[in-house]
Amino acid sequence: MNRLKWILLLVGFSLIHVQCTDFPDPEPPSTGEDEMRELVLYSQYQAAMFLGGDFSRFSSIWMQQLSGVRGVHLGVENYNPGSIGFDDPWRHFYLELIQSYNMIDYFATELDAPVFKGIALIQRGYFLGLFTDAWGDVPFVESYKYFGSGRNPVYDSQEELYEMIFGMLNEGISLLDNPPEGSMVPLPTQDIFYGGSLEDWQKAARLMKLKFSLRLGNRLGDYAQALSLIEEGGLFSSGADDWKFPFSTFTDLENPWYRFDFVVGNTRVGEHMVEMLIDTEDPRLTRFVRLNTQNQYLGAAPGSENFNASRIANAGGSIGGKSSSLTILSYCEQKFIEAEIYFRHGMQSQADEAYKEAVTASLAMFDARNAAWEEIHADKKDVDLEDIINAKYIALFLNPEVWTDWRRTGYPELDPTPGNFNEDKLPRHFLYPQSEETNNAANYPKDVDLNTRVWWDANGS
């Protein structure tokens, strides 16, 4: 990894590739194929760490799946995070993720390796989508300026970014479709996500397009594109297709939720989440929530600073175990999207069936299938949008999609933290980091606060 870091620092951001945009030619690296192959695994590990870090932790606190009890996370809990708290996820995105994907793209172009280029494009498109969902307008076309003497890139609008995201995903799918015979492909030990399976990567990219089409549907008030993508097919067919980082494969790497919970311990599981699980005797309770020192499943109420509340479960098969997989995109999430789209189009029987499949897929992920419970809570008739999003809220525990769903739909219904610093409103927007205020004052949007709506949120709850 030291050599990879050196390469990333040497080449910097100038390797970014966007159609119809010219960039200065980088200094050519002295090596190629070995670095490209190593970068695939490195970038995938960094993706898991990004999603297991404050990027997801902050939104999970606002959605009351977690409760911040001290430090910066207590500030987030009270809607008073301060801009400096957003520096780490911002840097992680640009210095680790985007830079790694740009490097893979560069090497793949030099070595005529379309498979590597396609995989990099798909991942870059996905994480750019998550990033702009949180911050709205962000630098991308000029993000190479973060490295070197500049540090003052111009921001791209979220509307423009979404056009780029769908372009990256479509190009990635195309590059993986019947590549030339003899094309280089990642080895299974390098592509820890899909073992170099082009079909699996294409499925994931199609699901990414479906997921991001929910935002466009919210903006336009029309979900026809999402329905069309479902009908086209080629998506996940079971939980075996899930996009996840298997920490159990590595003896020296720890799931970031486990690492944070034991080393820092600034959060507890939120009361709203725990009570939803307890109220229905949900079999995932023990997979998500750990017993506290009084042998109770106890959630922390917003703003309570309750150190005695339960932490994230860390036993075998739980979401926060040392070697637990970190799921990025799942068959379970896909089926919830399908249920929502079918419901919005008046296709009730299909919505009910997709809802059932979504809930049971979530249970299966954590080895928590329970026929009696499923008969009541999964095999439901006439599900509506609230049913779908509330069930998705539980199934996607610790996933930032929960915050996006709330902004789109208003579900689940949550009361703001008492005595908060945000006019009694749940936040809708990440703050720009202090580093942008300091280094990019001429370009960063200064009229943004926690209540600013991103572009696609114009018709949100």
Side-chain angles (χ1 to χ4, degrees):
M1 292 305 175
N2 288 335
R3 182 169 61 160
L4 291 177
K5 293 296 291 182
W6 181 86
I7 294 166
L8 293 177
L9 292 172
L10 176 65
V11 179
F13 280 94
S14 57
L15 305 181
I16 197 167
H17 166 75
V18 180
Q19 290 181 340
C20 303
T21 305
D22 294 325
F23 298 98
D25 292 331
E27 285 293 323
S30 60
T31 52
E33 183 177 345
D34 289 345
E35 280 68 23
M36 178 180 69
R37 291 183 177 279
E38 290 178 6
L39 276 164
V40 173
L41 177 57
Y42 177 78
S43 67
Q44 294 179 355
Y45 170 69
Q46 290 299 335
M49 298 306 291
F50 179 74
L51 280 181
D54 280 342
F55 181 80
S56 297
R57 194 167 290 110
F58 288 175
S59 60
S60 295
I61 290 172
W62 288 342
M63 291 296 95
Q64 298 175 21
Q65 291 185 326
L66 295 178
S67 177
V69 295
R70 67 180 174 189
V72 66
H73 301 94
L74 178 59
V76 172
E77 172 95 341
N78 293 314
Y79 314 155
N80 188 32
S83 59
I84 193 171
F86 295 91
D87 276 335
D88 282 347
W90 186 274
R91 290 194 189 102
H92 197 154
F93 176 75
Y94 285 110
L95 298 182
E96 303 294 351
L97 292 184
I98 289 298
Q99 193 155 274
S100 295
Y101 301 143
N102 293 343
M103 286 294 299
I104 296 170
D105 188 322
Y106 173 83
F107 285 128
T109 300
E110 291 294 301
L111 297 167
D112 192 21
V115 169
F116 282 85
K117 185 180 183 70
I119 290 173
L121 280 169
I122 290 169
Q123 293 179 95
R124 188 167 67 190
Y126 183 76
F127 283 98
L128 177 60
L130 296 190
F131 196 72
T132 185
D133 286 344
W135 269 287
D137 299 351
V138 297
F140 181 67
V141 171
E142 290 193 357
S143 60
Y144 65 91
K145 290 185 177 181
Y146 277 123
F147 204 87
S149 59
R151 299 182 183 276
N152 58 344
V154 171
Y155 279 57
D156 302 298
S157 73
Q158 187 173 59
E159 182 176 8
E160 294 170 329
L161 291 168
Y162 257 76
E163 291 180 5
M164 297 179 201
I165 290 162
F166 278 91
M168 291 177 212
L169 296 177
N170 286 329
E171 184 180 356
I173 291 170
S174 178
L175 287 169
L176 301 185
D177 192 17
N178 296 318
E181 186 175 352
S183 294
M184 287 185 285
V185 297
L187 300 174
T189 53
Q190 295 161 350
D191 177 13
I192 199 67
F193 286 144
Y194 284 127
S197 169
L198 309 192
E199 181 182 4
D200 287 343
W201 274 113
Q202 288 179 311
K203 288 180 183 179
R206 294 187 193 102
L207 179 50
M208 294 172 201
K209 290 172 59 178
L210 176 60
K211 174 172 179 163
F212 291 131
S213 73
L214 289 176
R215 284 78 153 145
L216 300 183
N218 185 82
R219 172 73 189 189
L220 301 173
D222 181 352
Y223 291 84
Q225 178 182 348
L227 181 60
S228 177
L229 289 169
I230 293 171
E231 292 174 341
E232 287 175 11
L235 302 168
F236 288 178
S237 57
S238 72
D241 294 324
D242 288 356
W243 185 22
K244 59 188 178 183
F245 192 93
F247 280 91
S248 60
T249 305
F250 305 91
T251 58
D252 56 342
L253 300 179
E254 296 175 348
N255 179 300
W257 292 105
Y258 172 90
R259 175 190 294 184
F260 182 86
D261 202 35
F262 276 82
V263 175
V264 182
N266 280 2
T267 61
R268 300 293 185 272
V269 184
E271 181 181 63
H272 187 84
M273 181 74 187
V274 174
E275 292 305 312
M276 287 183 73
L277 293 165
I278 290 175
D279 285 349
T280 62
E281 299 181 342
D282 194 306
R284 290 166 293 188
L285 174 65
T286 60
R287 305 296 195 266
F288 291 169
V289 186
R290 197 181 348 159
L291 290 167
N292 69 0
T293 55
Q294 281 73 49
N295 212 35
Q296 302 169 313
Y297 294 109
L298 180 68
S304 65
E305 301 180 49
N306 186 358
F307 284 86
N308 190 46
S310 296
R311 300 187 185 217
I312 299 168
N314 69 335
S318 67
I319 199 167
K322 182 177 181 179
S323 60
S324 295
S325 295
L326 191 146
T327 300
I328 301 173
L329 197 60
S330 66
Y331 176 69
C332 161
E333 182 176 352
Q334 174 185 311
K335 300 310 290 188
F336 276 117
I337 294 172
E338 291 178 12
E340 176 181 344
I341 297 306
Y342 287 140
F343 172 77
R344 290 184 182 277
H345 283 87
M347 304 165 69
Q348 191 63 55
S349 62
Q350 292 95 323
D352 292 344
E353 181 61 26
Y355 176 90
K356 176 182 177 180
E357 292 174 357
V359 174
T360 55
S362 174
L363 296 170
M365 284 176 64
F366 298 99
D367 193 23
R369 293 292 302 270
N370 183 306
W373 188 90
E374 292 169 28
E375 186 176 358
I376 299 170
H377 299 286
D379 193 10
K380 298 176 68 171
K381 303 301 179 186
D382 298 324
V383 294
D384 59 19
L385 185 61
E386 184 174 10
D387 293 326
I388 294 165
I389 301 301
N390 281 349
K392 190 178 178 185
Y393 172 89
I394 295 174
L396 269 59
F397 181 43
L398 305 179
N399 191 311
E401 188 69 7
V402 169
W403 183 41
T404 295
D405 285 341
W406 173 81
R407 288 179 288 170
R408 291 191 306 108
T409 69
Y411 299 120
E413 294 182 352
L414 300 169
D415 294 324
T417 299
N420 65 77
F421 290 82
N422 191 44
E423 302 175 350
D424 222 28
K425 299 175 184 177
L426 274 75
R428 309 184 78 91
H429 198 295
F430 274 13
L431 297 179
Y432 290 106
Q434 184 172 317
S435 58
E436 286 297 280
E437 299 178 42
T438 303
N439 300 319
N440 199 12
N443 294 319
Y444 92 95
K446 300 175 181 60
D447 57 348
V448 168
D449 60 25
L450 294 175
N451 303 314
T452 302
R453 291 174 182 260
V454 298
W455 169 75
W456 56 252
D457 192 21
N459 298 313
S461 60

